[in-house]
Each structure stands twice: as structure tokens, then as C-alpha cells.
Amino acid sequence: MADIKERIAKRVAMELHDGDVVNLGIGLPTMVANFLPEGVEIILQSENGIMGMGPAPSPGNEDVDIVNAGAQYVTVNPGAMFFDSATSFGIIRGAHVDATILGALEVDEKGNLSNWIVPGKMVPGMGGAMDLVIGAKKVIIAMQHTQKGKHKILKECTLPYTALGVVDLIITEMGVMEITSEGVLLTELHPDFTVDDVAAATGCKLLVSPDLKEMA
């Protein structure tokens, strides 16, 4: 499980560019901070009011006063800033975030996203997701391709929406998929799988790029 999550996080990190302001959602997306490319300076933003967040601290070196929006211990880079939630969401809603990386319960072929509630289960709420997917210039979903064998990439989401038509890219352990006007387009395939494997694990028609590459 850890290897699969690391594989996804490493590939997501390759989507980030020098100087990008990036928001990492809770869970798997927070791992991306540990795999940023060498020589690429990324400014990590957290909804709870951090600009300039660093990777997770090594065990025993945690600072109890520095946590991300998911209450996980993090580090901060030289020059980092701390501010209130109003300022943080002003940055997000003002379109100053270049990319947000989020997990998902479901994504569909139109780029609709459901990532905050399963009916009948207690959850703390949607958090900043609804603002991030509208305010960020690029929305990347980092998740495992299926959940206990059930499809997570669907023709149409069945769970309550977070937002409509917002997803740009999906990265799973099986490959990289773009959301296009025609549907879900597989652009990179991990060598552990075949195109048929990905199609069988996907709950909608899977388009395959003529320039299909091996997932890095």
C-alpha cells in the first residue's frame, strides 16, 4: 500500500513547475511534498494559513505548533509565512494557486468531482476543497484507481458533488489520465498493467492516446 501511494505521489510531483504555488489536500497528496524534483522550487500553501510549507519532519523532530490543514506535522522553509484563514482563502479564491492536488471518492468522465462525503457516514465537512477546485489553475486528482475493487472513475458520479467540470488530470497507480471534451484519456501507462487492465478498472469508456507513454 505504501509503495503504491509513493508511486502516485512521485508521479504527481513531476507535474509541478519551478515557482508554482501548490496546495496539497489531506491524505495521499501530502506525500507529494517529499518527492519534489531537484532544482525545482515549489511554494506549498496550506488552507490553515501557511505559505512556504516543507516536507514532513523526521520522527522526533516534529514541532507541535506547525501542522497542515489535516493536522499533520509539517516543516516550513526559510521565508515561510503564517496568516489567518481569511487571508489563506483570499489567496485561493483570488486564483493565486497554480495547482491543487486532492484525493477523490469519485471522478467522472466530465471532470466532476465527489471527494467529501459518503451519505450516512459522519464527516467533518468539505473543508477548502470547494474553493480550491474553483480557484486553482489546475486540479490534479491523486488516488488509488479503485476502492476495494469498486470503480472510482465513473461515467457519472453517484456521491454528492464537490464541484462540476473541475478536474484536469487523474494520477493513479495504473497510469495518468487527462479529462478531455471526449472523456477520460489515458496518456501514460504503468508497466505493471495493460491497457485492458486499466479499462476493466475504470467505470466509463477509456480513451487511449495514440502517443501513450510509459508512466514515469
Side-chain angles (χ1 to χ4, degrees), residues 62-100:
E62 299 89 350
D63 185 327
V64 297
D65 294 319
I66 304 178
V67 296
N68 63 18
Q72 298 166 310
Y73 293 121
V74 293
T75 59
V76 290
N77 294 323
M81 294 175 287
F82 299 89
F83 35 77
D84 59 33
S85 289
T87 301
S88 186
F89 278 89
I91 291 168
I92 294 167
R93 295 171 184 170
H96 301 295
V97 174
D98 294 294
T100 185

Short mmCIF file of all heavy atoms in Angstrom, two decimals, residues 62-100:
data_model
loop_
_atom_site.label_atom_id
_atom_site.label_comp_id
_atom_site.label_asym_id
_atom_site.label_seq_id
_atom_site.Cartn_x
_atom_site.Cartn_y
_atom_site.Cartn_z
N GLU A 62 9.37 16.77 15.23
CA GLU A 62 8.12 17.47 14.99
C GLU A 62 8.02 18.73 15.86
O GLU A 62 8.46 18.73 17.00
CB GLU A 62 6.92 16.56 15.29
CG GLU A 62 6.84 15.30 14.43
CD GLU A 62 7.60 14.13 15.03
OE1 GLU A 62 8.35 14.34 16.02
OE2 GLU A 62 7.45 13.00 14.51
N ASP A 63 7.45 19.77 15.29
CA ASP A 63 7.13 20.98 16.04
C ASP A 63 5.62 20.99 16.23
O ASP A 63 4.87 21.07 15.26
CB ASP A 63 7.59 22.22 15.25
CG ASP A 63 7.39 23.52 16.03
OD1 ASP A 63 6.43 23.62 16.82
OD2 ASP A 63 8.19 24.46 15.83
N VAL A 64 5.18 20.92 17.47
CA VAL A 64 3.74 20.78 17.75
C VAL A 64 2.94 21.99 17.28
O VAL A 64 1.71 21.92 17.17
CB VAL A 64 3.48 20.53 19.25
CG1 VAL A 64 4.10 19.21 19.68
CG2 VAL A 64 4.00 21.69 20.09
N ASP A 65 3.60 23.10 17.01
CA ASP A 65 2.91 24.30 16.57
C ASP A 65 2.83 24.44 15.06
O ASP A 65 2.26 25.41 14.56
CB ASP A 65 3.60 25.56 17.14
CG ASP A 65 3.49 25.63 18.66
OD1 ASP A 65 2.40 25.31 19.18
OD2 ASP A 65 4.49 25.98 19.31
N ILE A 66 3.41 23.50 14.32
CA ILE A 66 3.41 23.61 12.85
C ILE A 66 2.74 22.37 12.27
O ILE A 66 3.32 21.28 12.20
CB ILE A 66 4.83 23.77 12.29
CG1 ILE A 66 5.52 24.98 12.92
CG2 ILE A 66 4.78 23.93 10.77
CD1 ILE A 66 6.94 25.19 12.46
N VAL A 67 1.50 22.54 11.86
CA VAL A 67 0.72 21.46 11.25
C VAL A 67 0.03 21.97 9.99
O VAL A 67 -0.18 23.17 9.82
CB VAL A 67 -0.35 20.90 12.23
CG1 VAL A 67 0.29 20.27 13.45
CG2 VAL A 67 -1.33 22.00 12.64
N ASN A 68 -0.31 21.03 9.11
CA ASN A 68 -1.05 21.41 7.90
C ASN A 68 -2.55 21.37 8.16
O ASN A 68 -2.99 21.17 9.30
CB ASN A 68 -0.64 20.52 6.73
CG ASN A 68 -0.98 19.05 6.95
OD1 ASN A 68 -1.80 18.69 7.80
ND2 ASN A 68 -0.33 18.19 6.17
N ALA A 69 -3.33 21.55 7.12
CA ALA A 69 -4.79 21.62 7.27
C ALA A 69 -5.39 20.29 7.73
O ALA A 69 -6.52 20.25 8.21
CB ALA A 69 -5.43 22.06 5.96
N GLY A 70 -4.63 19.20 7.58
CA GLY A 70 -5.10 17.90 8.05
C GLY A 70 -4.57 17.56 9.43
O GLY A 70 -4.67 16.42 9.87
N ALA A 71 -3.99 18.58 10.13
CA ALA A 71 -3.44 18.42 11.48
C ALA A 71 -2.25 17.47 11.52
O ALA A 71 -1.94 16.89 12.55
CB ALA A 71 -4.51 17.96 12.46
N GLN A 72 -1.55 17.33 10.38
CA GLN A 72 -0.32 16.54 10.34
C GLN A 72 0.88 17.45 10.54
O GLN A 72 0.89 18.59 10.05
CB GLN A 72 -0.21 15.83 8.98
CG GLN A 72 -1.34 14.84 8.70
CD GLN A 72 -1.35 14.44 7.24
OE1 GLN A 72 -1.31 15.26 6.34
NE2 GLN A 72 -1.40 13.14 7.00
N TYR A 73 1.90 16.96 11.23
CA TYR A 73 3.11 17.76 11.43
C TYR A 73 3.81 18.01 10.10
O TYR A 73 3.94 17.10 9.27
CB TYR A 73 4.06 17.06 12.39
CG TYR A 73 3.53 16.96 13.80
CD1 TYR A 73 3.36 15.72 14.42
CD2 TYR A 73 3.19 18.11 14.52
CE1 TYR A 73 2.88 15.63 15.71
CE2 TYR A 73 2.70 18.02 15.81
CZ TYR A 73 2.55 16.79 16.40
OH TYR A 73 2.05 16.70 17.68
N VAL A 74 4.24 19.24 9.89
CA VAL A 74 4.99 19.60 8.68
C VAL A 74 6.16 20.49 9.09
O VAL A 74 6.28 20.90 10.24
CB VAL A 74 4.10 20.37 7.67
CG1 VAL A 74 3.02 19.45 7.10
CG2 VAL A 74 3.49 21.62 8.29
N THR A 75 7.02 20.76 8.14
CA THR A 75 8.10 21.72 8.34
C THR A 75 7.78 22.96 7.51
O THR A 75 6.85 22.96 6.69
CB THR A 75 9.45 21.14 7.90
OG1 THR A 75 9.37 20.78 6.50
CG2 THR A 75 9.81 19.92 8.71
N VAL A 76 8.54 24.01 7.72
CA VAL A 76 8.42 25.20 6.87
C VAL A 76 9.80 25.57 6.35
O VAL A 76 10.81 25.35 7.01
CB VAL A 76 7.80 26.40 7.63
CG1 VAL A 76 6.33 26.15 7.92
CG2 VAL A 76 8.56 26.71 8.91
N ASN A 77 9.83 26.12 5.15
CA ASN A 77 11.07 26.52 4.52
C ASN A 77 11.47 27.93 4.94
O ASN A 77 10.62 28.71 5.41
CB ASN A 77 10.92 26.44 3.00
CG ASN A 77 10.72 25.02 2.52
OD1 ASN A 77 11.31 24.09 3.05
ND2 ASN A 77 9.88 24.85 1.51
N PRO A 78 12.73 28.30 4.79
CA PRO A 78 13.14 29.68 5.09
C PRO A 78 12.28 30.69 4.33
O PRO A 78 12.01 30.50 3.13
CB PRO A 78 14.60 29.73 4.61
CG PRO A 78 15.07 28.31 4.73
CD PRO A 78 13.88 27.47 4.36
N GLY A 79 11.81 31.71 5.03
CA GLY A 79 10.97 32.72 4.41
C GLY A 79 9.49 32.39 4.43
O GLY A 79 8.67 33.15 3.88
N ALA A 80 9.11 31.28 5.04
CA ALA A 80 7.69 30.91 5.12
C ALA A 80 6.89 31.96 5.88
O ALA A 80 7.42 32.67 6.73
CB ALA A 80 7.55 29.55 5.81
N MET A 81 5.60 32.03 5.54
CA MET A 81 4.71 32.99 6.18
C MET A 81 3.52 32.27 6.81
O MET A 81 3.07 31.24 6.31
CB MET A 81 4.20 33.99 5.14
CG MET A 81 5.27 34.89 4.56
SD MET A 81 4.60 35.95 3.24
CE MET A 81 4.39 34.76 1.94
N PHE A 82 3.03 32.83 7.90
CA PHE A 82 1.84 32.33 8.56
C PHE A 82 0.79 33.45 8.56
O PHE A 82 1.12 34.62 8.80
CB PHE A 82 2.15 31.92 10.00
CG PHE A 82 3.18 30.82 10.11
CD1 PHE A 82 4.53 31.12 10.19
CD2 PHE A 82 2.79 29.50 10.14
CE1 PHE A 82 5.48 30.12 10.30
CE2 PHE A 82 3.73 28.48 10.25
CZ PHE A 82 5.07 28.79 10.32
N PHE A 83 -0.47 33.08 8.31
CA PHE A 83 -1.52 34.09 8.27
C PHE A 83 -2.86 33.44 8.61
O PHE A 83 -2.95 32.21 8.74
CB PHE A 83 -1.59 34.77 6.90
CG PHE A 83 -1.27 33.85 5.74
CD1 PHE A 83 -2.20 32.94 5.28
CD2 PHE A 83 -0.03 33.89 5.14
CE1 PHE A 83 -1.91 32.09 4.23
CE2 PHE A 83 0.29 33.04 4.09
CZ PHE A 83 -0.66 32.14 3.63
N ASP A 84 -3.89 34.28 8.74
CA ASP A 84 -5.19 33.75 9.14
C ASP A 84 -5.92 33.09 7.97
O ASP A 84 -5.51 33.21 6.81
CB ASP A 84 -6.05 34.84 9.78
CG ASP A 84 -6.30 36.02 8.85
OD1 ASP A 84 -6.38 35.82 7.62
OD2 ASP A 84 -6.40 37.16 9.35
N SER A 85 -7.01 32.39 8.28
CA SER A 85 -7.76 31.65 7.27
C SER A 85 -8.37 32.57 6.22
O SER A 85 -8.49 32.19 5.05
CB SER A 85 -8.85 30.80 7.92
OG SER A 85 -8.28 29.72 8.63
N ALA A 86 -8.78 33.76 6.64
CA ALA A 86 -9.37 34.69 5.67
C ALA A 86 -8.36 35.06 4.58
O ALA A 86 -8.69 35.07 3.39
CB ALA A 86 -9.86 35.95 6.39
N THR A 87 -7.12 35.32 5.00
CA THR A 87 -6.07 35.62 4.02
C THR A 87 -5.78 34.39 3.17
O THR A 87 -5.61 34.50 1.94
CB THR A 87 -4.79 36.08 4.74
OG1 THR A 87 -5.08 37.23 5.52
CG2 THR A 87 -3.68 36.39 3.74
N SER A 88 -5.74 33.22 3.80
CA SER A 88 -5.46 31.99 3.07
C SER A 88 -6.48 31.74 1.97
O SER A 88 -6.12 31.43 0.83
CB SER A 88 -5.44 30.80 4.04
OG SER A 88 -5.04 29.62 3.39
N PHE A 89 -7.75 31.92 2.31
CA PHE A 89 -8.78 31.67 1.30
C PHE A 89 -8.89 32.83 0.31
O PHE A 89 -9.38 32.65 -0.81
CB PHE A 89 -10.12 31.35 1.97
CG PHE A 89 -10.20 29.92 2.39
CD1 PHE A 89 -9.76 29.52 3.64
CD2 PHE A 89 -10.66 28.96 1.52
CE1 PHE A 89 -9.78 28.19 4.03
CE2 PHE A 89 -10.70 27.62 1.88
CZ PHE A 89 -10.25 27.23 3.14
N GLY A 90 -8.42 34.00 0.68
CA GLY A 90 -8.31 35.08 -0.29
C GLY A 90 -7.30 34.73 -1.37
O GLY A 90 -7.50 35.03 -2.55
N ILE A 91 -6.21 34.08 -0.97
CA ILE A 91 -5.20 33.61 -1.93
C ILE A 91 -5.80 32.56 -2.86
O ILE A 91 -5.62 32.60 -4.08
CB ILE A 91 -3.98 33.04 -1.17
CG1 ILE A 91 -3.23 34.16 -0.45
CG2 ILE A 91 -3.05 32.28 -2.11
CD1 ILE A 91 -2.20 33.67 0.55
N ILE A 92 -6.54 31.63 -2.27
CA ILE A 92 -7.15 30.56 -3.07
C ILE A 92 -8.22 31.11 -4.01
O ILE A 92 -8.20 30.86 -5.22
CB ILE A 92 -7.76 29.48 -2.14
CG1 ILE A 92 -6.65 28.78 -1.35
CG2 ILE A 92 -8.59 28.48 -2.93
CD1 ILE A 92 -7.14 27.92 -0.20
N ARG A 93 -9.15 31.87 -3.48
CA ARG A 93 -10.25 32.39 -4.30
C ARG A 93 -9.78 33.44 -5.30
O ARG A 93 -10.44 33.68 -6.31
CB ARG A 93 -11.34 32.97 -3.39
CG ARG A 93 -12.00 31.91 -2.52
CD ARG A 93 -12.91 32.52 -1.47
NE ARG A 93 -13.47 31.51 -0.59
CZ ARG A 93 -14.13 31.78 0.53
NH1 ARG A 93 -14.33 33.03 0.90
NH2 ARG A 93 -14.60 30.79 1.28
N GLY A 94 -8.65 34.05 -5.01
CA GLY A 94 -8.11 35.05 -5.93
C GLY A 94 -7.30 34.46 -7.07
O GLY A 94 -6.64 35.18 -7.82
N ALA A 95 -7.32 33.12 -7.20
CA ALA A 95 -6.65 32.41 -8.31
C ALA A 95 -5.13 32.55 -8.26
O ALA A 95 -4.47 32.61 -9.29
CB ALA A 95 -7.19 32.88 -9.65
N HIS A 96 -4.57 32.58 -7.04
CA HIS A 96 -3.12 32.67 -6.90
C HIS A 96 -2.46 31.31 -6.69
O HIS A 96 -1.25 31.23 -6.54
CB HIS A 96 -2.78 33.60 -5.73
CG HIS A 96 -3.33 34.98 -5.89
ND1 HIS A 96 -2.91 35.84 -6.88
CD2 HIS A 96 -4.30 35.64 -5.20
CE1 HIS A 96 -3.58 36.99 -6.79
NE2 HIS A 96 -4.43 36.88 -5.78
N VAL A 97 -3.28 30.25 -6.67
CA VAL A 97 -2.76 28.89 -6.53
C VAL A 97 -2.66 28.27 -7.92
O VAL A 97 -3.66 28.21 -8.65
CB VAL A 97 -3.67 28.03 -5.61
CG1 VAL A 97 -3.20 26.58 -5.59
CG2 VAL A 97 -3.67 28.60 -4.20
N ASP A 98 -1.47 27.83 -8.29
CA ASP A 98 -1.27 27.27 -9.64
C ASP A 98 -1.84 25.87 -9.78
O ASP A 98 -2.35 25.51 -10.85
CB ASP A 98 0.23 27.26 -9.98
CG ASP A 98 0.79 28.67 -10.10
OD1 ASP A 98 0.39 29.38 -11.03
OD2 ASP A 98 1.61 29.06 -9.24
N ALA A 99 -1.74 25.08 -8.72
CA ALA A 99 -2.26 23.71 -8.79
C ALA A 99 -2.71 23.26 -7.42
O ALA A 99 -2.09 23.61 -6.41
CB ALA A 99 -1.20 22.75 -9.33
N THR A 100 -3.78 22.49 -7.38
CA THR A 100 -4.18 21.83 -6.15
C THR A 100 -4.21 20.34 -6.42
O THR A 100 -4.61 19.89 -7.50
CB THR A 100 -5.55 22.32 -5.64
OG1 THR A 100 -5.82 21.71 -4.37
CG2 THR A 100 -6.69 21.99 -6.60
#
